[in-house]
Amino acid sequence: MNMNQGQATESTSGINLGSTVPHFGNNVTQAIRVVDLENQVAVRQEEIDILKQKLLGLEADILIKQEALTKIAEQEQEIKILKEIALEKEKWREQATGLSQDNDRLRQVNEDLTMETRRQRQTITQLQEKLMLMSTILDLRNTELQQEKDNKLRLKRKLHVLSTAEETVECRGRFRRQSLKDCPRCHAAISATTICRYHPKTPVKLHGTFYFPCCGLSGKSEPEGCQSSSHHQMGFGT
């Protein structure tokens, strides 16, 4: 209510206080206005307090949302890292699969090489056995060859004996009797022994030694006779 409105009210009612009634209208109006203002200020203060509380709540919400956004960003970063790890894991899994396949191939190659080594060892063992057998056969052949050489030498001597003209004991100066008391067959003294041991065939001289074809003995001197008689032979030396 303003002053114009008060004057209109006074004129309408027909009461004119004028100078007879003390004039309190303006003070009351001002007091009412102060109260209204104070009430409005209180309301406004309450609204301000409410707005402050809401603002604080909003700030808290903002902080919570910021923290949530930060956590979301961290989680997104972790998810990104996990995805990268998953991709790396998949790559490593593929590499592990490839390495496992390579390992299987190498294991198979190793087994094949082991089997081949065993076969080679068996082959080497068989070859060694064959070599030992061939060495034994060679030794036997060498022995047989040596025996054949010895037999050939003996046959050669016999052939030489057979192809040489037969000689008498008396024709050879080495076995010639020195006195009438010596036996012309065994060249021993007749009075010394009653048994005559002699060689029935003429000896042959080969390479500085005498070979006796009747018994196969040889030497630089006459060996003991291969035949015997109960009496000596009487004869004269030349």
Side-chain angles (χ1 to χ4, degrees):
M1 184 181 291
N2 53 24
M3 188 176 293
N4 293 325
Q5 289 176 352
Q7 291 176 1
T9 304
E10 291 176 355
S11 59
T12 302
S13 59
I15 300 174
N16 187 4
L17 298 177
S19 59
T20 57
V21 179
H23 182 69
F24 295 104
N26 291 333
N27 292 330
V28 173
T29 302
Q30 289 179 356
I32 292 170
R33 287 181 178 179
V34 170
V35 172
D36 290 336
L37 289 174
E38 288 178 354
N39 291 330
Q40 290 179 2
V41 169
V43 171
R44 296 296 182 183
Q45 187 65 40
E46 290 179 358
E47 290 178 356
I48 290 171
D49 293 336
I50 292 170
L51 290 175
K52 285 182 178 180
Q53 291 178 358
K54 289 182 178 181
L55 182 61
L56 292 174
L58 291 173
E59 289 178 352
D61 292 337
I62 291 171
L63 292 175
I64 292 171
K65 289 180 179 180
Q66 287 179 350
E67 291 178 357
L69 291 175
T70 303
K71 290 182 179 179
I72 289 171
E74 292 176 353
Q75 290 179 358
E76 288 179 350
Q77 186 66 27
E78 290 179 356
I79 290 171
K80 183 178 179 180
I81 294 172
L82 290 174
K83 287 182 178 179
E84 293 177 355
I85 292 172
L87 292 175
E88 292 293 329
K89 185 177 180 181
E90 187 66 25
K91 292 180 180 179
W92 283 110
R93 184 181 291 108
E94 293 177 356
Q95 292 182 1
T97 303
L99 291 174
S100 179
Q101 293 176 357
D102 293 338
N103 191 18
D104 293 337
R105 286 194 294 270
L106 290 174
R107 186 182 294 108
Q108 185 64 37
V109 170
N110 188 19
E111 291 177 357
D112 295 338
L113 290 175
T114 302
M115 293 297 295
E116 184 65 24
T117 302
R118 290 178 181 176
R119 287 195 293 269
Q120 291 293 335
R121 286 179 180 176
Q122 291 177 357
T123 303
I124 291 172
T125 302
Q126 293 175 357
L127 290 175
Q128 288 177 349
E129 292 177 355
K130 289 182 180 179
L131 183 61
M132 292 177 64
L133 180 60
M134 292 177 66
S135 178
T136 303
I137 293 173
L138 182 61
D139 292 338
L140 293 174
R141 292 293 175 85
N142 290 331
T143 303
E144 292 177 356
L145 182 61
Q146 186 64 36
Q147 292 177 354
E148 290 179 357
K149 287 182 179 180
D150 295 339
N151 292 332
K152 185 177 180 181
L153 181 61
R154 285 194 294 270
L155 290 174
K156 187 176 181 180
R157 289 176 178 176
K158 289 182 180 181
L159 180 62
H160 182 75
V161 170
L162 294 175
S163 62
T164 304
E166 190 173 341
E167 298 179 353
T168 61
V169 178
E170 289 81 7
C171 293
R172 300 184 60 82
R174 177 178 176 80
F175 301 107
R176 186 178 299 169
R177 185 171 63 166
Q178 299 297 323
S179 66
L180 294 176
K181 295 181 180 180
D182 294 339
C183 175
R185 291 187 302 183
C186 66
H187 308 288
I190 297 175
S191 60
T193 178
T194 58
I195 298 176
C196 179
R197 298 183 181 277
Y198 65 95
H199 295 282
K201 290 187 178 182
T202 304
V204 179
K205 187 175 183 181
L206 295 174
H207 306 291
T209 61
F210 291 95
Y211 175 73
F212 294 85
C214 55
C215 60
L217 299 176
S218 62
K220 292 184 178 181
S221 61
E222 182 179 2
E224 188 178 3
C226 59
Q227 291 189 7
S228 62
S229 176
S230 59
H231 62 278
H232 294 283
Q233 184 179 0
M234 300 298 293
F236 295 95
T238 55

